[in-house]
Amino acid sequence: MSASLEVYPPSAEFVAQANANAALYDRADADRLEFWAEQARRLDWDTDFEQVLDWSNAPFANWFVGGKLNVSVNCVDRHVAAGKGDRVAIHWVGEPGDSRDITYSQLLADVSRAANYFTAIGLQAGDRVAIYMPMVPEALISMLACARLGLTHSVVFAGFSASALRSRVDDAEAKLVITTDGQYRRGKPAELKTNVDDALGTGDDAAKSVEKVLVVRRTNHDPKLPWVEGRDVWWDDTVGESSDHHEPDAFDSNHPLFLLYTSGTTGKPKGIVHSSGGYLTQTSYTFHNVFDHKEGRDVFWCGADIGWVTGHSYIVYGPLSNGATEVVYEGTPNTPNEHRHFEVVEKYGVTIYYMAPTLIRTFMKWGRDIPDAHDLSSIRLLGSVGEPINPEAWKWYRDVIGGGKAPIVDTWWQTETGSIMISPLPGVTETKPGAAMKPLPGISANIVDDNANPVTHGEQGYLVLDQPWPSMLLGIWGDDERFKETYWSRFADQGWYFAGDGARYDDDGALWVLGRVDDVMNVSGHRISTSEVESALVGHSGVAEAAVIGAADETTGQGIVAFVILREGVENTGDTLIAELREQVSVEISPIAKPREINVVPELPKTRSGKIMRRLLKDVAEGRELGDTSTLVDPSVFEAIRRKRA
Ligand code: 6R9
């Protein structure tokens, strides 16, 4: 990467008002732990911490040892107590066009009601609650009510299938599942509660841990919604009838706030466990500095879903702990038409807009006439997350959405890191289109080769985090060994966290994240493992073997391409079979994991040790010349695959 690429220095105007300044790096460098203690004190603690970090049991971290706090009090009560109760916390916009404004006082009442009901049904701190909901206010309220009681929530993306929900409910042994009757999907109500019924099963097959299913009325689409007496209850009849006053307790800094399942390199999703004090410290700090948030003035909008970590950290915990006013949107960007996002920006005067590159590329495809038809001048800062943003999309974003002047923060982080780790600081960093630039103050990262030696500028290497950070994962739910093995074994001697991403520094020392170096695909910013899709395909009775790769895709970053071999005697019914296979993946995992392309091939390319050569399949799928095939058992396999695709 050459140093001559365009750089975009912050404007004098932005610098003059920015929350962050260059001294933040100096302060963090001078005393990292003291720096984090200072950030932690932006929160309200019931009991002050005695020690900033206990790393003696690495890689199991304990941040802010001895400290006790209540996460929901930090996100809600303290703003009301400070006289900001009438401030809008959430401008909620429903997909059919309905909307609700919820102030901090109303949020406190709603969270208290839910907390009182959860207590009434016997839930106790440490119990797990599964949340399987579209983007309705009750989803956020449920998360905060769990936090208030020390219940560990596990949000499962409402686009996931019944079987994906079941495995997550079972793994976490959730006692309560919260859902809605239905959800809007591109203008039409679709089932949701019935997915929960399918997931939880009946009789011998019933999910053993679940005692109650709490249902929010959203679509009202089915007058005969199936109902399990004694298990299922309506939100309105229960939470709605509970007292709006609730006295919270404080919990240990390391109390598990939530679990969030994410794809790994092996089939089974892992439950990433996050803390309370450390997690909230860093989400709150990053929200304030990376998004340059000004209380009472800014209107923030993060387009993620609460089913992903971005929704947890930058729809719920980061904004609300800072007393922000934010837009929460239920639907897709093209319902009822492609103007939707820009109308919302205009209506609420959105100032900070945080989206995924795949959406920006979609906007580019739709054409600039659409955003140009709106007054987007309220926007003063843009954010990007989920995958590398290509320089072309970066420039379009700044010019067309940011009026040619809004700084862009390209934020690198992961479910496991809990909050933003590598990003420009607006008002400080000279940005380059496509680069995440530099670890934030207080964060330490490095790019190293196979032998843990730092790479020279221009060389590609592995992105590692060589110091613990406050919002780091506590572990993988119920599997300490897998936690150590997955993240800490690659550079075990050094004690570094290996993120699974490749990266490089350019000649100026700016950091560019290049994407995953493992078998995890990134489709529209969603992490999907190749082996998960492979095992879904092999679950079809006609399939003997499957290999899946992520091929470059102009819009979605990567597209899923599958190669399957049929069992002996199974007839290839062409499109019918392909449709069945795609459906199989949709049911087993989610519609977002459906392969873009499925090739039925006579053979898969394998090394002599029997490993599928995915790298070569990628070359084929991306239409490149084949690389080195010398280790293949039978190089002619490719000719057969090529012929099939042509
Ligand atoms: C927050 C989130 C994590 C993976 C991560 C990386 C990719 C995220 C990125 C980025 C380049 C960025 N990723 N942000 N790559 N530039 N700004 O997306 O979490 O769903 O766990 O995904 O996403 O590959 O390892 P998660």
Side-chain angles (χ1 to χ4, degrees):
M1 205 55 58
S2 91
S4 61
L5 274 166
E6 295 151 276
V7 292
Y8 292 74
S11 70
E13 195 192 344
F14 201 101
V15 174
Q17 60 81 61
N19 289 347
N21 55 35
L24 213 54
Y25 293 101
D26 302 334
R27 269 178 25 227
D29 288 346
D31 189 339
R32 229 172 62 84
L33 292 183
E34 182 47 37
F35 174 81
W36 282 120
E38 243 176 70
Q39 304 312 323
R41 295 213 161 84
R42 296 180 66 248
L43 305 176
D44 281 359
W45 294 81
D46 287 69
T47 308
D48 197 6
F49 46 90
E50 293 150 11
Q51 190 186 349
V52 179
L53 169 67
D54 178 1
W55 189 232
S56 58
N57 188 28
F60 300 92
N62 193 350
W63 280 87
F64 310 118
V65 186
K68 283 185 191 295
L69 82 174
N70 187 293
V71 169
S72 103
V73 167
N74 273 282
C75 291
V76 190
D77 306 45
R78 66 170 173 155
H79 308 310
V80 177
K84 302 166 192 166
D86 292 337
R87 178 184 297 166
V88 172
I90 298 168
H91 290 297
W92 178 76
V93 182
E95 193 186 87
D98 49 340
S99 64
R100 271 163 70 185
D101 284 347
I102 301 170
T103 65
Y104 275 97
S105 293
Q106 290 166 336
L107 191 58
L108 176 57
D110 285 340
V111 171
S112 300
R113 282 192 194 95
N116 281 322
Y117 177 66
F118 296 173
T119 306
I121 58 175
L123 295 178
Q124 287 178 358
D127 287 345
R128 274 82 55 206
V129 174
I131 298 178
Y132 182 64
M133 298 171 91
M135 292 289 290
V136 292
E138 290 80 2
L140 283 73
I141 292 165
S142 297
M143 291 165 76
L144 290 165
C146 288
R148 192 172 191 86
L149 299 171
L151 303 171
T152 302
H153 59 68
S154 163
V155 180
V156 180
F157 177 54
F160 276 138
S161 65
S163 82
L165 173 62
R166 174 63 182 264
S167 65
R168 286 157 175 77
V169 164
D170 283 351
D171 187 65
E173 296 172 279
K175 288 191 173 169
L176 171 67
V177 179
I178 312 177
T179 189
T180 58
D181 54 349
Q183 60 176 331
Y184 287 102
R185 281 267 188 83
R186 300 179 195 283
K188 288 196 223 64
E191 300 293 339
L192 196 62
K193 159 72 162 66
T194 49
N195 280 1
V196 175
D197 294 336
D198 291 348
L200 300 186
T202 51
D204 287 350
D205 183 42
K208 287 183 188 49
S209 60
V210 177
E211 294 166 7
K212 284 263 178 284
V213 174
L214 176 57
V215 188
V216 172
R217 203 184 288 279
R218 172 60 185 136
T219 50
N220 225 359
H221 67 291
D222 183 358
K224 291 214 190 74
L225 195 71
W227 208 253
V228 177
E229 285 310 325
R231 188 197 72 180
D232 301 350
V233 292
W234 286 108
W235 177 282
D236 288 342
D237 300 345
T238 54
V239 175
E241 298 294 317
S242 301
S243 158
D244 63 5
H245 181 82
H246 179 266
E247 282 299 328
D249 290 330
F251 299 95
D252 235 41
S253 178
N254 243 20
H255 186 77
L257 178 64
F258 67 86
L259 301 181
L260 186 58
Y261 287 81
T262 189
S263 297
T265 45
T266 60
K268 192 170 163 274
K270 39 192 190 220
I272 303 300
V273 189
H274 275 291
S275 74
S276 301
Y279 171 79
L280 196 66
T281 293
Q282 196 178 329
T283 48
S284 195
Y285 152 80
T286 49
F287 184 78
H288 178 75
N289 288 293
V290 175
F291 297 117
D292 192 48
H293 173 254
K294 305 287 193 295
E295 240 191 292
R297 298 224 311 267
D298 277 313
V299 179
F300 178 76
W301 183 8
C302 165
D305 187 284
I306 46 142
W308 314 119
V309 75
T310 307
H312 283 64
S313 302
Y314 300 105
I315 293 180
V316 183
Y317 296 109
L320 298 178
S321 63
N322 282 283
T325 297
E326 63 174 332
V327 167
V328 175
Y329 176 50
E330 183 186 37
T332 49
N334 52 352
T335 307
N337 59 49
E338 291 83 2
H339 290 268
R340 192 55 178 273
H341 265 233
F342 312 114
E343 285 165 2
V344 170
V345 168
E346 268 181 320
K347 176 169 177 193
Y348 295 104
V350 169
T351 58
I352 307 166
Y353 184 75
Y354 187 37
M355 300 287 150
T358 180
L359 180 70
I360 299 155
R361 291 191 294 265
T362 302
F363 287 157
M364 288 171 75
K365 254 195 343 209
W366 291 344
R368 69 173 291 164
D369 291 358
I370 294 169
D372 281 352
H374 301 272
D375 177 7
L376 306 179
S377 61
S378 58
I379 292 180
R380 66 178 195 92
L381 180 70
L382 297 168
S384 174
V385 61
E387 52 175 320
I389 179 166
N390 47 311
E392 199 196 352
W394 194 102
K395 285 190 248 178
W396 190 93
Y397 196 28
R398 180 177 160 111
D399 287 346
V400 179
I401 310 296
K405 61 172 204 285
I408 298 179
V409 288
D410 175 7
T411 62
W412 178 89
W413 57 295
Q414 310 178 296
T415 304
E416 294 85 344
T417 69
S419 19
I420 300 171
M421 302 292 284
I422 302 177
S423 166
L425 278 179
V428 181
T429 314
E430 288 196 348
T431 53
K432 292 185 181 191
M437 300 305 300
K438 197 175 163 168
L440 291 177
I443 300 300
S444 183
N446 206 349
I447 307 174
V448 299
D449 65 16
D450 276 313
N451 301 317
N453 298 313
V455 295
T456 51
H457 289 185
E459 296 278 310
Q460 179 175 343
Y462 302 109
L463 181 58
V464 297
L465 301 169
D466 54 7
Q467 294 286 343
W469 63 100
S471 65
M472 64 193 291
L473 68 171
L474 293 181
I476 293 177
W477 183 253
D479 204 340
D480 288 352
E481 273 316 304
R482 191 175 176 197
F483 170 59
K484 289 191 248 179
E485 172 61 31
T486 307
Y487 303 107
W488 304 92
S489 65
R490 182 73 186 73
F491 297 103
D493 293 347
Q494 295 75 17
W496 295 341
Y497 169 91
F498 173 45
D501 281 306
R504 71 177 147 214
Y505 298 114
D506 67 18
D507 296 345
D508 300 328
L511 195 153
W512 296 68
V513 178
L514 304 168
R516 309 285 308 190
V517 294
D518 55 14
D519 292 334
V520 177
M521 299 174 287
N522 191 327
V523 183
S524 297
H526 299 142
R527 270 166 75 167
I528 301 163
S529 83
T530 53
S531 59
E532 241 178 310
V533 179
E534 284 165 4
S535 75
L537 290 167
V538 176
H540 184 282
S541 58
V543 175
E545 217 180 336
V548 166
I549 55 113
D553 184 290
E554 253 184 36
T555 307
T556 59
Q558 285 190 322
I560 303 177
V561 176
F563 299 85
V564 300
I565 312 178
L566 299 183
R567 284 179 198 270
E568 280 294 320
V570 171
E571 190 196 348
N572 182 355
T573 53
D575 290 350
T576 313
L577 175 71
I578 304 293
E580 273 178 34
L581 292 175
R582 297 184 74 227
E583 185 54 24
Q584 172 92 14
V585 176
S586 181
V587 169
E588 286 282 321
I589 311 169
S590 158
I592 56 175
K594 271 194 222 172
R596 179 185 82 185
E597 179 184 319
I598 299 179
N599 302 284
V600 179
V601 293
E603 205 57 68
L604 290 172
K606 289 198 184 142
T607 63
R608 280 157 228 277
S609 62
K611 278 207 177 74
I612 295 173
M613 294 284 280
R614 286 197 182 71
R615 177 174 59 75
L616 296 177
L617 288 171
K618 214 172 146 99
D619 288 341
V620 173
E622 294 177 347
R624 261 192 310 275
E625 284 295 300
L626 285 189
D628 182 9
T629 57
S630 59
T631 55
L632 284 177
V633 179
D634 179 6
S636 69
V637 161
F638 275 100
E639 275 324 302
I641 293 177
R642 277 237 169 92
R643 271 200 304 279
K644 275 280 170 195
R645 291 184 88 244

